[in-house]
Every structure is written in C-alpha cells, then in structure tokens.
Amino acid sequence: MKSEANARIDGKERPMLAALAARLMRIDDGSILRAAFFALLLGTLGVLLIDFRALTANAPEALTYRPQPVLPPANSPDEDGQKRPAVTTSPALLEAPLVIALGSGGVLSLTGTVDPGSAARFAEEIAARGEYVETVLLDSPGGSVEDALLIGALIRDKAMTTRVASGGLCASSCPVIFAAGAERQAGRDAAIGVHQIYAAALSATLIDALTVAGVAMADAQEVTARITRHLALSGVDPALWLHALETPPDRLYYFSPAEMDEFRLVTAWLDN
C-alpha cells in the first residue's frame, strides 16, 4: 500500500519534477561555467577593492603626497648659497586662476596660475584684440602644461614678444610660454625656473589604480617630447629642459642669467 506522500508525488508533483529535470538538462555546461566565472570575477574584484581602500588609507605620506607649485622665497639663499631671485608679486595673485588683461603700449599681462581653459581664454583675447598686442608679460607659477603649450604655439605663430620683469615669476610650465616669444625679454632679477611635470591628482578608482603608473609614464614621455620640440621650434636650446627632468616636482630649478644666455632662453635683458 502506497504512503500518502508517494500518492501526492504520483498524483501532482511527479509532472512538476519531470518538467524541472527537463529544464536543467537544457542548460549547457558552457552557461554554467560562464555563470561561475563571472561570480568568481565579481568576488575577486570585491576583495581587491577592499584591499586597495585599506592600502591607500594606511599608505605612507610619501605615497599619497600631492606636490604643489613652489614659489621662490624672497631673498633667501638656495642650497648652493646663491641668492634666489626675489618675487614681489602677491602670492594670492599668483595662486589665483590666470588673469588676462590688456594694458597700455600693447602689453597683454598673464598673471596667476595657468588653469585648464587658460589657452581658450587667451585665444579669445587674441582673436578680439590681437592687433593691439605686441608683448605678453608673464607673472605665473605655471600650471596646466597642455594650456601652456597651446598659448606658446599661438604666441609663436603671431611672432609676439614675451617678457618677465624683475621681481616677476615664471615657473613650472610658464617658461614654455616664455620660450615662444619672437623676442624674449627678462629682468636680471626675474625668477624663472622649472621642475618635473606631474599629475595633479591621485587615481580614485580601482581600474585607475591598476593602470595609472603606466599611463603616467607614457604621458610624461609624450609631453616631454612635445616640450622639447616646442623649445627647438622657438629657437631655445632643448637642453634647458634637462634641468626640469632632474628636479623633483616639489622643488624648482632657477636659471641664472648666464644659463638663460647659454640656453638662448633670453634674447634681450631689461634695464629694470
């Protein structure tokens, strides 16, 4: 005599079990393996993300340090005991986004940090009032290398004069702009210096963290090649940029008047 449970299976549940077995048989091994692979991949990525967050949270300061442009201290000696050029411009003005202002005598002043978009604003100013501009006066701690290259290319195309006055600053990417002048004027007490280019921010995602080192190296090499070509086209000795490559991004290498003559960076010295 069949039990009550067997009776239920015989009566209603046996067809349901048969249908389920048929569906399972239709699932091929490839689908099962793909599902298992993606589940394993998601689990691995989750573990890596947790480990990455823990690593960056506990990383030494040297690994998470973000270098900033360095302004030369006024009248302070450098490591070799030589007097650094004094910068008389307000740090607040230098650290602010680039201000482009047309003054008298055809002088267009560029004061402040070369922020992304500076090149577009400079191009708009030249398109609107370029016939009045003869000289581009620079006072900047540098900033966006891409924008500096674009500004420099336009200056070279228009055969404008570039100038850094005594007490003024032209550092980091700013000398890329200065080098573009058909005539390059500087005061003997102008602070003109360079350092290594660097990324302004750390990667924020796991994928960035896995690729940022290689991408940064490739980008640095490509930008260095563009700067070297830009200097050569402008009539400046590309060997000048060796000092940038040798100087850490948290320091500045300041050129002496003799070096600026040697590298043909300055073509005319100002009396004041």
Side-chain angles (χ1 to χ4, degrees):
M1 184 175 180
K2 296 181 179 179
S3 68
E4 184 179 348
N6 287 337
R8 284 200 304 271
I9 293 176
D10 288 342
K12 297 182 179 180
E13 296 186 5
R14 188 179 296 276
M16 295 175 61
L17 292 174
L20 176 61
R23 284 197 295 272
L24 290 174
M25 292 178 64
R26 286 198 297 271
I27 299 176
D28 57 43
D29 292 340
S31 298
I32 296 174
L33 290 174
R34 284 194 296 272
F37 170 76
F38 285 118
L40 180 61
L41 179 62
L42 289 174
T44 301
L45 288 175
V47 171
L48 287 175
L49 180 58
I50 293 172
D51 289 345
F52 173 70
R53 287 176 175 172
L55 177 64
T56 54
N58 300 307
E61 183 179 354
L63 297 179
T64 57
Y65 174 65
R66 302 183 185 189
Q68 299 297 322
V70 179
L71 301 183
N75 300 319
S76 65
D78 62 18
E79 295 175 356
D80 297 325
Q82 299 296 318
K83 195 175 186 180
R84 287 174 174 165
V87 175
T88 58
T89 309
S90 163
L93 290 177
L94 293 173
E95 293 169 3
L98 194 70
V99 174
I100 303 172
L102 181 61
S104 61
V107 176
L108 183 69
S109 63
L110 274 59
T111 306
T113 298
V114 183
D115 56 311
S118 296
R121 301 199 307 274
F122 179 77
E124 291 173 359
E125 184 70 22
I126 297 302
R129 286 176 282 277
E131 66 273 16
Y132 302 111
V133 179
E134 298 178 0
T135 301
V136 177
L137 177 63
L138 297 164
D139 200 357
S140 169
S144 168
V145 177
E146 179 67 27
D147 285 80
L149 283 165
L150 292 173
I151 292 172
L154 184 53
I155 288 174
R156 187 173 62 243
D157 182 63
K158 298 294 184 181
M160 297 174 180
T161 295
T162 51
R163 179 185 301 165
V164 182
S166 289
L169 175 70
C170 186
S172 188
S173 66
C174 177
V176 173
I177 301 175
F178 178 66
E183 181 173 315
R184 301 178 288 276
Q185 305 172 348
R188 292 191 178 274
D189 290 326
I192 301 178
V194 292
H195 61 181
Q196 294 169 0
I197 58 177
Y198 59 88
L202 297 176
S203 58
T205 68
L206 177 62
I207 299 301
D208 286 343
L210 296 175
T211 60
V212 69
V215 171
M217 179 68 72
D219 286 349
Q221 292 176 354
E222 189 268 339
V223 171
T224 298
R226 291 175 62 193
I227 292 173
T228 302
R229 186 177 298 111
H230 168 78
L231 294 174
L233 289 172
S234 302
V236 177
D237 187 348
L240 172 147
W241 203 251
L242 290 175
H243 289 292
L245 298 177
E246 295 171 344
T247 305
D250 61 340
R251 304 289 300 169
L252 276 172
Y253 181 91
Y254 303 104
F255 295 107
S256 67
E259 288 174 318
M260 289 188 266
D261 280 332
E262 176 187 353
F263 294 123
R264 303 188 298 277
L265 182 61
V266 173
T267 61
W269 292 101
L270 303 173
D271 293 333
N272 49 30

